[in-house]
Amino acid sequence: MTEPLSLAAAIQRTPAPFGDASSDNLADDLPDALVAATEGLSPKARALVARVAACSPYLRRLMTRDEALTRSVLETAPETTLAAAMDDVRAAPSLADGPLRLSALRKAKDKASLAIALADIAGVWDAMEAARRLSLFADAAADAALAMALSRRSGPQADPKTSGIAIIAMGKHGAYELNYSSDIDLIVVYDPERVADNPGEAKAIAVKATKEMVSALGSQTPDGYVFRTDLRLRPDPGVTAAALSVNAAESYYEAYGQNWERAAFIKARAAAGDVTVGKAFLKALRPFVWRKYLDYAAIEDVKSVKRQIHASKGGGDIEFFGHDVKIGRGGIREIEFYAQTQQLILGGKNPDLRPPATLDALAALCARGVISASAHDILARSYVFLRDVEHRLQMINDEQTHKLPPDEAGVARVAAFLGYDDARDFRRDVEETLRAVHNQFAALFDYEEGLASDAGSLVFTGVENHPETLETLAAMGFTRTGEVSETIRRWHASGVRATRSQRARELLTALTPTLLEALSAAGDADEAFFAFHAFLSGLPAGVQVFSLLANNPDVFNALIRIMTISPYLAKELSRRLNFVEQLLESRWAAPPPACDAYAPALAAALAAARASAEAHGGAYEAQLNAARRWAGEERFQITAQLAVGLLAPERAAAHYTAIADAAIGALAPIALEEVVAAHGAIEGGYAVLAFGRVGAGDMTAMSDVDLTFIYDAAEDAVSDGEKPLAAGQYFSRFVRRLITALSAATEEGALYEVDMQLRPSGRAGPTAVRYSAFCRYYAEEAWTWEKMALTKARIVAGEETLAAKTAEETRRILSRPMDRSALSADILDMRAKMLEAKPGRGPWDVKHAKGAMADVNFICQFLALTHGADLGPAPRRTTEALAFFAERGVLSETYAERLKERYVLYDAILQVSRAATGGVFDPASAGPALKERMAALCGARDIEAAEAGLVAAQSEVAEIYGNVIK
């Protein structure tokens, strides 16, 4: 058998990658430290070493740090050097001292790295042979590191091959394609019965050994490191242990495995440790990886992944400087993906199509007629070329990089490292290769414009964030790009219930680009995204929703439209999944019912809930939940339509108020029924008097209800139950019951916050006020602001006789003469204090800002109280009151028209702001869709013009306010 040639001799026989050394002065430029190491070698060998030293700071350090090693590597056959390095690795676990073990591993890695690099650069080995040799060394290193970890427990005799712990090499390592400075991707599985007698102990042993193995390989010492080790390809890496039992891993892939994980296992190999356990595990996974029949669901999924990788024809163009030759357009990943998708689809029926190595896979696909000979030749040739480029890029500084340098000088160095005399030739070859690969890749898939993104690449497969994807997300307006990307990858990894079926994940993959484009138009793209994530996390299953969204663009657009215009509704949707039913049934956009239809509809819902619950008790709670569910769905319809512009603000106000009226009117008798059941009945009645927006009929999506409770009963009235109560206590107990029925949070949430500060004597007063005390208080004690509030008061529930008496009494109160100057002074003082305490957060705070709604309301209340004795009570709604005063000559028609126009605008802004944000609209945090909606409300071309108009309107109102109230 012929002895292998030394590396120096082999260099002499290979075509010179750096030109003719005899005419090259490179050999004369050797660093002093390498002169001795290369003494006596051929000029060609010395020239190669000099060029390597010039191009690669890493290899230069390696060669100059240990001249003896360099000389040995050059004078020995590379395969012999590598075998010796592997022998050193295998011997390391037997060394007594821990630091010596680590040092031995790292020195062996230096020997292997130098031999592999020089053999690769010289052309003694091609890039793929170099990758195979490096992969074999990585196997030996992982085995030795595991042996070291196990020896801590079992002593030097520990044998990883019988340990029950298997090291599964993934990716390029698994396919013997490891690149020069690559991490090694591993999955560690163990057979509990082979590791230890006790399953719990087996897990602890396997996890500890895995962590120590990773540390032995990857920790930095004065001698460097061996391999950076990545365990993130294991099932659900965010929550699982470093090592998994074979049963747990198999169960995961059977239930939740994704197509990208199927693709990853094409290259998987039992590389170290107990390979018997590893091979058995991989055999058990064959049905997961290789499906028997043509998998059309997988076809759609891989097409969707393809669309994510290059979501638009215009995105991710080939730009030479800084281009990523691995994941960039036309790069190594496209060749791998090209082969693996065909393997996934066809390999189940054709075992010949299952080779793990990319070149072998391409050859098999060509041999079976799956791809053309031309496609095979282009992709295979390109793959080898790009792997050569990748190796040189990584050899420069031993970095796991795949990007071409961003500047001419850097490119010139890489070109020289690859043997090019002219960097322009290198650039030409790279660009031609990338274009040729991408042309083949693009031809494999159909581009669907409906799923395209103009922003660029969107990749959410694998276990780490894709750099170009983060750039794309940033360009789309997301700021928490890493979190967004990680969250989407969690979706695809079954991280929420809605995506735990394969079909749900496939549908979500297809929807993701469109979803992100829509969410990016929200006021806060991040907030909208995480609102959608919360919504998604709450879904019990996703197939139904995703299927409907995928197949019904109108519904999908409605959901995104609602979420992007209204972050408030996005949160509500995530909390209240029954609202989604309205989207699924396309009811949300239907015209709302007539306002007088709400009360009977709620009555029917409560009767049904009561009938259903009476058989097993809990009728009261059931009715509270039914009321909340009903009101929530009705308000959602109104709010959604208001937010997107399907319902006018004034109509929305009427519907919000009618829903509140129905709820209060329906729950009051139920609350009273509970009091009767506990304390008996009493002779007397109650009335519920509403103030503020509910009283005026102008409620918004966020309005609470301002209520006062009035009762009428004899002074000595007592209830007739086993636990009798006097009238005051009885009706106070009823009020507490009703407030609970309205405001307590049940499993369906709460209905309304109840504010009772407007009752006589405010917070200090009783919760239920006797009718006579109510009359006396407003005649003798009420403050000006309380009388002002009464101008909007309205009976919303109660016993008919008392309700009529109370309504008549409010009319009498508002018709009493009042001193104009005293009233004017009180109101001016009150408004000044309000502006000091709540000055408003800019012109869009149309409730509190100077010259906004409060000023118009104060004008109407001032006129109502000063002219009540002559004109009688004015209408409760502000716009109607303005017309009332103008018709009767107490307010000029000009003022009335201007105030009405401004108030209608303010109210529209308030209504939509509450529906969209749950608070005050802020242009700085709003997205294009919401800003466009608000500008349209103002009749302006853009939000800046709208704000300018709003400032002018408030200035005019403030001037009128000063002219009227004085």
Side-chain angles (χ1 to χ4, degrees):
M1 185 174 180
T2 305
E3 286 291 321
L5 293 171
S6 70
L7 180 56
I11 290 171
Q12 192 63 27
R13 291 193 178 188
T14 59
F18 298 141
D20 184 0
S22 63
S23 61
D24 197 328
N25 292 324
L26 279 170
D28 298 328
D29 295 332
L30 276 172
D32 292 342
L34 290 181
V35 171
T38 59
E39 186 177 356
L41 297 183
S42 68
K44 187 172 181 180
R46 296 183 71 216
L48 183 142
V49 171
R51 183 62 64 94
V52 169
C55 292
S56 169
Y58 164 68
L59 291 173
R60 179 191 182 100
R61 288 194 302 272
L62 204 56
M63 292 188 293
T64 56
R65 187 173 62 195
D66 190 339
E67 297 173 24
L69 172 62
T70 305
R71 183 77 181 188
S72 173
V73 168
L74 289 167
E75 292 182 341
T76 307
E79 48 266 64
T80 303
T81 301
L82 187 59
M86 293 174 71
D87 287 341
D88 293 344
V89 165
R90 296 186 187 103
S94 63
L95 298 173
D97 184 67
L100 285 178
R101 293 177 176 183
L102 298 183
S103 180
L105 285 182
R106 283 150 180 76
K107 288 180 178 179
K109 173 64 183 302
D110 285 350
K111 184 185 294 185
S113 294
L114 185 56
I116 291 169
L118 293 179
D120 184 354
I121 295 164
V124 176
W125 292 339
D126 65 18
M128 303 318 299
E129 179 62 18
R132 188 181 75 85
R133 300 281 184 165
L134 188 59
S135 300
L136 289 169
F137 181 83
D139 292 353
D143 208 56
L146 180 61
M148 291 178 184
L150 293 171
S151 70
R152 291 178 178 270
R153 177 174 180 269
S154 304
Q157 74 277 10
D159 185 357
K161 292 179 174 55
T162 58
S163 65
I165 302 172
I167 311 300
I168 309 298
M170 305 294 289
K172 288 185 170 64
H173 182 193
Y176 296 105
E177 299 173 330
L178 205 58
N179 54 54
Y180 189 76
S181 295
S182 177
D183 292 357
I184 54 174
D185 293 298
L186 305 177
I187 292 176
V188 181
V189 295
Y190 64 91
D191 181 343
E193 295 181 358
R194 290 171 69 97
V195 176
D197 293 334
N198 182 293
E201 184 183 3
K203 179 179 180 179
I205 292 170
V207 170
K208 184 176 181 181
T210 300
K211 291 180 178 178
E212 291 181 359
M213 175 194 71
V214 170
S215 177
L217 291 171
S219 61
Q220 282 282 355
T221 75
D223 295 307
Y225 70 102
V226 187
F227 287 101
R228 295 174 295 267
T229 305
D230 194 335
L231 300 177
R232 289 178 296 166
L233 284 178
R234 71 185 187 274
D236 209 357
V239 296
T240 57
L244 285 83
S245 72
V246 289
N247 288 336
E250 289 171 15
S251 297
Y252 167 84
Y253 290 115
E254 180 180 351
Y256 305 124
Q258 301 174 68
N259 278 317
W260 75 262
E261 289 173 307
R262 290 176 61 203
F265 271 97
I266 292 174
K267 295 178 180 289
R269 175 173 58 87
D274 196 330
V275 294
T276 302
V277 170
K279 288 179 178 179
F281 169 69
L282 293 177
K283 183 178 180 180
L285 286 192
R286 282 180 192 167
F288 163 67
V289 181
W290 305 112
R291 296 180 180 172
K292 185 176 180 181
Y293 302 103
L294 281 177
D295 190 347
Y296 291 104
I299 294 172
E300 289 306 310
D301 192 36
V302 296
K303 284 186 176 182
S304 296
V305 174
K306 165 64 186 71
R307 285 190 293 264
Q308 288 185 9
I309 289 176
H310 294 301
S312 116
K313 293 179 182 179
D317 291 336
I318 296 170
E319 296 180 1
F320 177 75
F321 290 104
H323 192 80
D324 193 312
V325 298
K326 178 182 178 181
I327 62 176
R329 181 162 292 213
I332 294 166
R333 180 66 58 81
E334 287 194 351
I335 302 173
E336 294 172 335
F337 193 85
Y338 184 102
Q340 288 173 350
T341 53
Q342 305 311 296
Q343 289 179 286
L344 281 183
I345 295 167
L346 303 172
K349 290 185 67 175
N350 299 292
D352 291 343
L353 298 180
R354 300 178 185 178
T358 302
L359 292 177
D360 293 342
L362 290 171
L365 291 167
C366 182
R368 297 287 298 190
V370 178
I371 65 175
S372 68
S374 174
H376 165 267
D377 292 345
I378 291 171
L379 294 174
R381 183 172 61 251
S382 298
Y383 186 75
V384 173
F385 173 74
L386 292 172
R387 291 302 305 272
D388 268 328
V389 174
E390 178 185 52
H391 276 196
R392 297 303 182 277
L393 289 171
Q394 295 183 350
M395 286 175 185
I396 292 172
N397 283 308
D398 190 28
E399 293 175 336
Q400 191 187 12
T401 182
H402 310 277
K403 288 189 175 182
L404 295 169
D407 53 43
E408 296 278 3
V411 167
R413 174 160 66 177
V414 176
F417 207 3
L418 282 159
Y420 283 88
D421 294 325
D422 190 330
R424 290 173 295 184
D425 295 336
F426 169 62
R427 176 171 183 172
R428 179 203 62 222
D429 288 351
V430 169
E431 290 179 337
E432 287 180 356
T433 298
L434 295 174
R435 280 194 292 269
V437 169
H438 186 67
N439 287 340
Q440 294 296 324
F441 186 59
L444 188 62
F445 298 95
D446 295 324
Y447 286 89
E448 296 186 26
E449 294 299 331
L451 295 173
S453 165
D454 291 333
S457 297
L458 294 169
V459 182
F460 302 107
T461 57
V463 296
E464 60 187 18
N465 291 330
H466 190 287
E468 291 184 15
T469 294
L470 299 184
E471 293 175 6
T472 299
L473 291 172
M476 296 174 84
F478 296 92
T479 58
R480 296 159 63 185
T481 56
E483 292 177 66
V484 171
S485 178
E486 288 166 11
T487 300
I488 296 174
R489 287 192 289 105
R490 288 286 295 161
W491 294 348
H492 291 293
S494 310
V496 294
R497 286 181 299 169
T499 62
R500 288 185 181 168
S501 74
Q502 180 178 328
R503 181 58 181 154
R505 293 192 296 273
E506 290 164 356
L507 289 167
L508 183 60
T509 298
L511 287 169
T512 298
T514 306
L515 170 69
L516 289 172
E517 286 185 343
L519 292 175
S520 70
D524 184 323
D526 298 309
E527 183 179 359
F529 173 84
F530 288 104
F532 184 84
H533 171 60
F535 159 70
L536 193 63
S537 300
L539 291 175
V543 170
Q544 180 186 8
V545 174
F546 299 153
S547 295
L548 183 131
L549 296 178
N551 294 298
N552 296 271
D554 290 343
V555 178
F556 178 75
N557 290 338
L559 176 65
I560 303 305
R561 182 182 179 193
I562 289 170
M563 284 187 165
T564 53
I565 290 182
S566 176
Y568 163 71
L569 280 179
K571 293 176 182 177
E572 288 297 295
L573 280 163
S574 70
R575 288 196 292 258
R576 303 289 296 277
L577 296 181
N578 54 300
F579 294 169
V580 181
E581 295 174 6
Q582 292 176 269
L583 298 177
L584 299 179
E585 298 169 10
S586 299
R587 288 193 293 115
W588 79 276
C595 287
D596 59 9
Y598 286 121
L602 176 55
L606 294 177
R610 183 177 189 131
S612 175
E614 279 182 340
H616 49 77
Y620 175 70
E621 290 78 8
Q623 289 178 97
L624 296 193
N625 280 323
R628 282 153 173 72
R629 187 179 183 91
W630 173 87
E633 291 179 354
E634 298 299 338
R635 286 193 307 222
F636 170 76
Q637 181 186 19
I638 301 305
T639 305
Q641 291 192 17
L642 172 61
V644 302
L646 294 179
L647 190 67
E650 62 272 18
R651 287 193 60 207
H655 284 280
Y656 286 132
T657 305
I659 293 168
D661 286 355
I664 297 167
L667 291 176
I670 293 173
L672 183 61
E673 186 179 294
E674 290 293 300
V675 178
V676 170
H679 303 286
I682 196 170
E683 289 190 15
Y686 71 90
V688 182
L689 187 63
F691 292 83
R693 283 191 164 268
V694 65
D698 283 331
M699 290 185 73
T700 72
M702 301 300 296
S703 291
D704 56 12
V705 289
D706 295 291
L707 303 177
T708 288
F709 300 91
I710 301 164
Y711 73 93
D712 197 15
E715 290 286 345
D716 57 354
V718 177
S719 63
D720 60 10
E722 294 182 3
K723 298 178 180 180
L725 294 174
Q729 292 177 303
Y730 187 90
F731 284 104
S732 291
R733 191 71 53 88
F734 158 69
V735 169
R736 287 200 295 273
R737 275 287 186 178
L738 179 51
I739 291 174
T740 297
L742 289 168
S743 62
T746 72
E747 63 189 62
E748 293 287 347
L751 267 176
Y752 297 100
E753 290 186 22
V754 178
D755 189 337
M756 296 180 61
Q757 293 186 70
L758 289 175
R759 69 184 186 271
S761 299
R763 293 178 179 175
T767 55
V769 182
R770 189 182 293 273
Y771 173 73
S772 58
F774 172 82
C775 298
R776 183 171 58 254
Y777 180 83
Y778 276 96
E780 301 173 2
E781 302 178 38
W783 295 75
T784 297
W785 66 266
E786 291 176 300
K787 295 175 183 177
M788 292 168 67
L790 202 63
T791 63
K792 293 182 179 290
R794 175 175 62 93
I795 296 292
V796 292
E799 183 268 323
E800 189 174 335
T801 301
L802 180 58
K805 286 172 55 179
T806 303
E808 180 58 33
E809 179 61 22
T810 61
R811 284 192 287 272
R812 281 198 293 269
I813 295 168
L814 295 175
S815 299
R816 291 171 184 157
M818 291 195 68
D819 182 274
R820 182 185 180 97
S821 60
L823 182 62
S824 173
D826 282 351
I827 290 178
L828 290 172
D829 180 63
M830 190 187 317
R831 183 68 180 120
K833 289 179 178 178
M834 284 178 61
L835 284 170
E836 183 178 353
K838 289 185 177 181
R841 291 181 284 171
W844 293 100
D845 190 352
V846 292
K847 184 175 180 180
H848 299 110
K850 184 178 181 180
M853 299 181 86
D855 288 339
V856 183
N857 282 322
F858 274 32
I859 289 172
C860 290
Q861 290 163 340
F862 170 74
L863 295 175
L865 294 177
T866 53
H867 296 283
D870 301 323
L871 305 179
R876 300 181 187 90
R877 298 195 72 195
T878 300
T879 53
E880 295 173 5
L882 290 169
F884 174 86
F885 296 130
E887 289 171 1
R888 286 154 182 78
V890 298
L891 181 69
S892 76
E893 290 187 4
T894 300
Y895 278 180
E897 283 301 315
R898 289 180 179 177
L899 291 173
K900 179 180 178 181
E901 181 182 344
R902 303 299 182 259
Y903 192 86
V904 168
L905 172 62
Y906 297 157
D907 193 57
I909 291 171
L910 182 72
Q911 288 284 355
V912 177
S913 295
R914 297 292 191 267
T917 69
V920 176
F921 170 69
D922 179 10
S925 63
L930 180 54
K931 286 196 279 193
E932 182 180 348
R933 175 84 173 96
M934 299 303 286
L937 283 177
C938 299
R941 65 182 182 278
D942 54 39
I943 203 67
E944 291 77 17
E947 185 166 318
L950 202 53
V951 169
Q954 289 168 2
S955 177
E956 183 179 23
V957 168
E959 182 181 354
I960 295 174
Y961 173 86
N963 292 336
V964 173
I965 304 177
K966 57 183 179 180

